[in-house]
């Protein structure tokens, strides 16, 4: 049984670099020990916060419960044929390192998701996505431990009810499961997705015949040029979701803002939140030791020593500003504790 610790600082475990602490802390490194702990001890230490890489969290206060740090590792090939391979990995695996591993084998499907911070276990919760690809596009299944009973349940894609940066684990099942293993379906004959953002231009700069490795390199270059490294400036990546509005609402706004970018999709028109925030004048604004990044308006940053409550208040001001100017209600993508 892993050691249960008390009053542990969470500063090293969140990429925002916010000082907070948790009443209890435990790192689990296998399904068996996680199940044993849930059955024998968990009932006395509520609430529970499963923690991966801490890259999508903002702590606004100390956590008066138990943080379960996911440390289940390992990768394996579950099945394969001439066309595809299903790989299964522990929820504690670093996401980008897993991407690199699959690219090393020549398998395609997640190269566009390169350099996204965090662990594999958090990926289906958030349905991570970038450059035209989402996790749901390659998702096969997952295993998760029920935090009331200790039973291991299996979830297929339909069970997860994926949406835009959303899943059942952020809604009805929030805080009820600890994801332990995730399986992905990858292609041995990759179809490259290069039409989103600046990928095609970056591939032309790299030269040669495009493949999954080059797409990954292009994505990494683009991300590094736009997003701050959490090791240097505290942040949690994109803080807000891109809103989807009605065609009528967009047509009305387009008359006022002719250069307003948008992506038409089945459920409406997706508008880049970064453009909305920048147009409201927030990009690059600094409030002492925190603010909005000067190269990407979606990213709120901690320059050092900021309080989570201050960053949360800044996000509230941005929400109000966009609502007032455009009549659009932005949503936070980052989980607030």
């Amino acid at each position: 049984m892993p050691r249960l610790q008390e009053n542990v600082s969470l500063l090293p475990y969140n990429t925002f670099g916010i000082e907070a602490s948790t009443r209890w802390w435990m790192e689990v490194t296998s399904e068996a020990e996680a199940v044993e702990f849930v059955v024998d001890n968990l009932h006395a230490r509520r609430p529970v916060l499963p923690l991966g890489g801490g890259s999508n969290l903002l702590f606004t206060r100390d956590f008066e419960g138990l943080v379960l740090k996911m440390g289940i590792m390992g990768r394996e090939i579950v099945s394969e044929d001439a066309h595809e391979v299903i790989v299964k990995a522990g929820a504690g695996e670093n996401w980008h390192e897993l991407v690199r591993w699959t690219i090393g084998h020549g398998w395609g499907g997640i190269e566009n998701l390169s350099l996204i911070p965090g662990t594999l276990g958090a990926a289906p919760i958030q349905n991570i996505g970038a450059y035209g690809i989402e996790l749901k596009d390659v998702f096969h299944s997952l295993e998760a431990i029920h935090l009331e009973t200790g039973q291991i349940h299996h979830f297929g894609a339909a069970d997860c009810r994926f949406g835009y940066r959303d899943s059942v684990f952020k809604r009805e099942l929030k805080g009820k499961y600890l994801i332990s293993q995730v399986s992905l379906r990858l292609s041995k004959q990759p179809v490259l997705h290069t039409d989103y953002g600046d990928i095609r231009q970056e591939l032309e700069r790299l030269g040669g015949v495009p493949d999954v490795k080059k797409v990954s390199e292009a994505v990494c270059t683009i991300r590094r040029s736009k997003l701050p490294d959490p090791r240097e400036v505290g942040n949690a990546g994109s803080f807000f979701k891109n809103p989807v509005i009605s065609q009528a609402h967009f047509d009305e706004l387009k008359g006022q803002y002719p250069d307003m970018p948008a992506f038409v999709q089945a459920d409406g028109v997706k508008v880049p939140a970064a453009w909305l925030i920048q147009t409201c004048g927030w990009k690059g604004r600094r409030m002492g030791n925190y603010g909005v990044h000067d190269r990407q308006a979606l990213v709120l940053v901690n320059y050092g020593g900021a309080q989570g409550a201050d960053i949360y208040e800044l996000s509230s001001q941005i929400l109000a500003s966009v609502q007032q100017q455009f009549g659009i209600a932005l949503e936070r993508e980052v989980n607030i504790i």
Side-chain angles (χ1 to χ4, degrees), residues 1-2 30-42 145 150:
M1 175 70 67
S30 73
E31 279 186 334
E33 66 184 22
V35 168
E36 181 182 356
F37 181 81
V38 168
V39 172
D40 294 342
N41 297 281
L42 196 58
I145 301 165

Side-chain angles (χ1 to χ4, degrees), residues 177-221:
Y177 282 89
L178 178 68
I179 295 174
S180 55
Q181 306 277 348
V182 180
S183 297
L184 305 176
R185 186 188 303 273
L186 304 175
S187 175
K188 288 187 173 182
Q189 300 168 342
V191 176
L192 303 182
H193 297 270
T194 63
D195 293 331
Y196 198 98
D198 301 325
I199 294 180
R200 188 176 295 278
Q201 296 93 308
E202 186 60 30
L203 285 172
E204 291 174 356
R205 190 191 68 80
L206 289 171
V209 179
D211 57 15
V212 291
K213 184 178 180 181
K214 285 187 179 295
V215 170
S216 175
E217 291 174 2
V219 168
C220 289
T221 299

Side-chain angles (χ1 to χ4, degrees), residues 126 164-166 170-171 238-244 270-274 276-277 298 329-334:
Q126 186 75 1
Y164 172 55
R165 303 300 177 270
D166 196 22
K170 291 185 72 173
R171 298 188 180 277
S238 298
F239 201 94
F240 305 95
K241 297 180 181 181
N242 291 320
V244 177
K270 181 182 287 187
V271 179
L276 298 171
I277 296 167
L298 278 179
L330 291 185
E331 289 185 62
R332 297 178 180 90
E333 184 173 325
V334 170

Side-chain angles (χ1 to χ4, degrees), residues 311-332:
I311 295 174
Y312 179 80
E313 174 58 28
L314 170 60
S315 73
S316 297
Q317 293 176 26
I318 292 172
L319 293 179
S321 179
V322 171
Q323 176 70 55
Q324 181 178 12
Q325 184 160 342
F326 297 102
I328 295 176
L330 291 185
E331 289 185 62
R332 297 178 180 90

Side-chain angles (χ1 to χ4, degrees), residues 34-65:
V35 168
E36 181 182 356
F37 181 81
V38 168
V39 172
D40 294 342
N41 297 281
L42 196 58
H43 63 281
R45 294 180 173 86
R46 293 285 182 173
V48 179
L49 175 64
L51 180 65
S55 59
N56 197 47
L57 289 171
L58 176 64
F59 288 102
T60 62
R61 55 181 172 80
D62 292 337
F63 186 68
E64 297 298 329

